[in-house]
Amino acid sequence: MVAIIDYGVGNLFSLQASLNKIGAMAVVTNDEAKIDAASHIILPGVGAFEDAAKLLKEYKMDEVILSNAGKKPILGICLGMQLLFDRSFEFGEHKGLGLIAGDIVPLKGAIDSKLKIPHMGWNKLYKTNSSPILKYTSEGDYVYFVHSYYAKAESKYITSVVKYDIDVTATVQNGMVFGTQFHPEKSGECGLRILKAFVEC
């Protein structure tokens, strides 16, 4: 069973529907016992980093994630991926879960000023390191993004990028901790294949 963590942030039921479509049993929950009993954990998220980090603490989901890290596969999606990192510089400096070394930094100032922010729409994936969640994807597959900040980390943690003037981190991995900056549940067949690969980890 896949536990989708409910802490008041994210398009949870769309994600649950995508998992059901690939034949995975998924539950939306903030029940610690259910999350501990799950084989896989997904941390979704949309909105601002600081607000999401506060909600994680309020629901005590930060403790649940950290206690399960290293025991089972964990996938952060969009803001959920960003929360896996050490810190974010979105409207100040805020501490993340520290499961992947690196920072979340603004696209503004890093990309050509003529390009739109937020970075929104479909982009081609380019693999940079092997990762089990990418085993069913091909070079140039399209995925769907909506974000204004991106992960800056050592290359060993970055498993794919997209081109948006610079190489923008698309997927990350540190052991059994995975992340996608894009939304697999909004990325058509490619997104479903990524979710399928994650569930098989």
Side-chain angles (χ1 to χ4, degrees):
M1 183 187 73
V2 181
I4 301 168
I5 293 183
D6 181 5
Y7 61 112
V9 177
N11 192 1
L12 310 181
F13 295 100
S14 167
L15 182 56
Q16 185 181 33
S18 293
L19 287 159
N20 291 340
K21 193 171 182 179
I22 60 168
M25 186 183 294
V27 61
V28 174
T29 184
N30 54 28
D31 183 298
E32 186 175 345
K34 286 182 180 177
I35 296 167
D36 287 343
S39 60
H40 295 69
I41 295 171
I42 295 182
L43 177 63
V46 294
F49 189 102
E50 181 182 16
D51 295 339
K54 282 179 180 174
L55 284 167
L56 267 187
K57 284 187 185 300
E58 282 177 24
Y59 282 88
K60 297 185 177 178
M61 290 295 99
D62 56 339
E63 296 172 15
V64 175
I65 293 165
L66 292 172
S67 69
N68 279 281
K71 298 176 185 175
K72 62 189 69 170
I74 297 172
L75 173 65
I77 293 175
C78 196
L79 179 59
M81 182 203 88
Q82 296 183 358
L83 288 164
L84 300 174
F85 281 82
D86 291 327
R87 57 187 178 164
S88 170
F89 290 93
E90 182 179 2
F91 306 119
E93 183 178 332
H94 312 287
K95 189 178 178 184
L97 293 167
L99 293 174
I100 303 176
D103 295 329
I104 304 303
V105 298
L107 284 168
K108 187 176 182 179
I111 62 171
D112 191 308
S113 60
K114 296 185 183 74
L115 291 172
K116 289 183 180 178
I117 297 174
H119 169 219
M120 184 183 297
W122 297 85
N123 280 88
K124 289 181 182 179
L125 278 181
Y126 295 94
K127 297 180 188 181
T128 55
N129 283 304
S130 63
S131 175
I133 69 167
L134 299 177
K135 68 180 179 180
Y136 298 130
T137 65
S138 302
E139 196 81 354
D141 278 353
Y142 281 89
V143 289
Y144 187 80
F145 289 81
V146 184
H147 67 118
S148 301
Y149 290 76
Y150 74 105
K152 204 167 188 179
E154 288 183 56
S155 59
K156 66 181 179 180
Y157 298 121
I158 299 171
T159 55
S160 72
V161 299
V162 295
K163 308 289 184 182
Y164 198 61
D165 188 36
I166 60 171
D167 285 350
V168 176
T169 303
T171 58
V172 293
Q173 180 183 353
N174 182 20
M176 286 195 285
V177 177
F178 304 90
T180 67
Q181 180 60 70
F182 53 88
H183 288 272
E185 76 279 10
K186 296 180 182 177
S187 297
E189 287 301 319
C190 179
L192 291 177
R193 291 196 302 271
I194 288 168
L195 290 173
K196 175 178 166 62
F198 170 68
V199 171
E200 292 176 359
C201 286

